[in-house]
Amino acid sequence: PEFISVANLGLALNVKLDIFVQQLEELGFEDISKESILTGETAALVAQEYGYEPTVDIGEDEDLKPRPPPEDPTSLPLRPPVVTIMGHVDHGKTTLLDYLRKSSIVSQEHGGITQHIGAFSVNLSSGKQITFLDTPGHAAFLTMRQRGANVTDMVILVVAADDSVKPQTLEALKHARSAKVPIIVAINKVDKDSANVERVKSDLAANGVEIEDYGGDVQVVCVSGKTGQGMADLEESILTLSEMLDIRAETDGMAEGWVLESSIKPIGRVATVLVKRGTLRPGDHIVAGRVAAKIRSLRNEARIEVDEAPPGTAVEILGWKEPPDAGDQVLQAPNEDKAKTAAHYRQELKERAENIAQQAEQDRERREKE
Ligand code: GDP
Ligand code: MG
């Protein structure tokens, strides 16, 4: 609504009416009573004083929204699992990812020159696919979670066999738990003489990880990113968990995904996007944050152009006029008009919110001076 009465605002903010009116007077409102009418913007300012983050109604909703969740997910096609590798520094995350990346059939077929992008998909000889997120640290993972998205289906918790459980191991565990994402433990560096697999297992158990050997259901795989030992088992474990989770998504309809990385390269602005629903193709119109784009081309991690990006895969998207932000949600729009209107609407929302915040700040300063 554009206007609200003091009584209704007090109700919305859950403050007793006589106290609310008194507090409004203290805030500097003159001749205020419970019948007074406030504008939406003033109400938003007041709400902010009470610790709320008001959303501003700028009229007709021209935003683009994700589709509602599917009614019967079990009838949808399976999609590749999306996997994030976490663990303590130097326990071998990068080494494992590099090994997996090089072992991909696609990279072998194309001379093995793979690039470092925010995610890559490994094609197994069985024809199945696994998508690994290569996010720098946990930051993007957390941002996207704050926006209500679980981009990853599972976490591979890497623990070095010669170092066992360390602070960042526990931190990763905490993240996985709060996101309710299942884990697989990869005990790495088992090629080393100083490796002590049993110690890692008991340390994990002591920290509440219900590993298989101790009667739980968390798979533990011994690997070496250096020699490649156990890596096929790790892929197998991922597929096993994936089957249990029954990971499915629509391949049709308006696509949805997330920006994992965004950068400016000699060929233009590039964003790595993880597709979660639907399929993206060149020519499609999309919106990411406040940016609209028409997809010029899609490329995989080997920098090879692909003609489509189905759910559960990550691609580099070219065609942005403005760079989107990592952590932005990507939504396909039915046409260019809708994409541009939504982007414009979001821009306007942001500007309005900034104005209100600025006003509130100025108000505060003014009151402090008085
Ligand atoms: P990250 O910080 O978790 O990404 O760890 P890195 O992948 O950078 O690995 C840290 C160090 O451990 C590097 O010197 C790697 O060469 C070494 N390393 C990683 N995996 C193995 C392994 O399986 N065996 C041995 N012997 N060394 C490893
Ligand atoms: Mg690393």
Side-chain angles (χ1 to χ4, degrees), residues 85-98 158 160 162 187-193 223-229:
I85 298 195
M86 290 184 164
H88 196 71
V89 64
D90 283 345
H91 279 196
K93 298 178 292 294
T94 303
T95 308
L96 289 181
L97 277 168
D98 284 345
V158 180
D162 60 343
I187 303 182
N188 189 34
K189 308 196 187 186
V190 293
D191 60 285
K192 287 182 117 175
D193 289 338
V223 297
S224 165
K226 194 176 171 192
T227 68
Q229 181 190 334

Side-chain angles (χ1 to χ4, degrees), residues 89-161:
V89 64
D90 283 345
H91 279 196
K93 298 178 292 294
T94 303
T95 308
L96 289 181
L97 277 168
D98 284 345
Y99 188 94
L100 291 159
R101 188 184 275 121
K102 284 189 203 115
S103 72
S104 173
I105 291 175
V106 170
S107 48
Q108 282 168 14
E109 279 173 356
H110 294 93
I113 304 163
T114 51
Q115 304 292 327
H116 211 76
I117 74 166
F120 62 95
S121 297
V122 170
N123 292 277
L124 306 174
S125 48
S126 60
K128 291 191 171 135
Q129 232 183 8
I130 302 172
T131 295
F132 290 94
L133 295 194
D134 192 1
T135 44
H138 302 166
F141 187 77
L142 287 179
T143 319
M144 288 180 273
R145 259 206 61 217
Q146 279 162 4
R147 299 176 189 199
N150 259 349
V151 280
T152 194
D153 298 306
M154 59 184 85
V155 165
I156 306 296
L157 183 65
V158 180
V159 190

Side-chain angles (χ1 to χ4, degrees), residues 230-242:
M231 293 302 278
D233 297 334
L234 179 60
E235 290 174 345
E236 209 44 56
S237 294
I238 293 169
L239 293 179
T240 303
L241 180 54
S242 176

Side-chain angles (χ1 to χ4, degrees), residues 259-291:
V259 176
L260 300 173
E261 271 182 357
S262 173
S263 59
I264 299 174
K265 296 188 176 162
I267 45 158
R269 295 193 171 85
V270 178
T272 306
V273 170
L274 175 71
V275 181
K276 289 304 288 274
R277 297 170 89 183
T279 304
L280 285 177
R281 298 186 178 83
D284 284 347
H285 293 282
I286 52 175
V287 177
R290 301 183 303 280
V291 185

Side-chain angles (χ1 to χ4, degrees), residues 200-265:
V200 176
K201 286 181 182 173
S202 67
D203 284 354
L204 285 168
N207 282 286
V209 183
E210 298 179 345
I211 57 175
E212 269 180 340
D213 295 23
Y214 290 40
D217 53 14
V218 174
Q219 302 182 77
V220 178
V221 192
C222 291
V223 297
S224 165
K226 194 176 171 192
T227 68
Q229 181 190 334
M231 293 302 278
D233 297 334
L234 179 60
E235 290 174 345
E236 209 44 56
S237 294
I238 293 169
L239 293 179
T240 303
L241 180 54
S242 176
E243 265 166 40
M244 273 173 49
L245 297 172
D246 200 37
I247 304 170
R248 296 170 186 274
E250 303 94 333
T251 50
D252 55 1
M254 292 290 108
E256 296 171 19
W258 294 89
V259 176
L260 300 173
E261 271 182 357
S262 173
S263 59
I264 299 174
K265 296 188 176 162

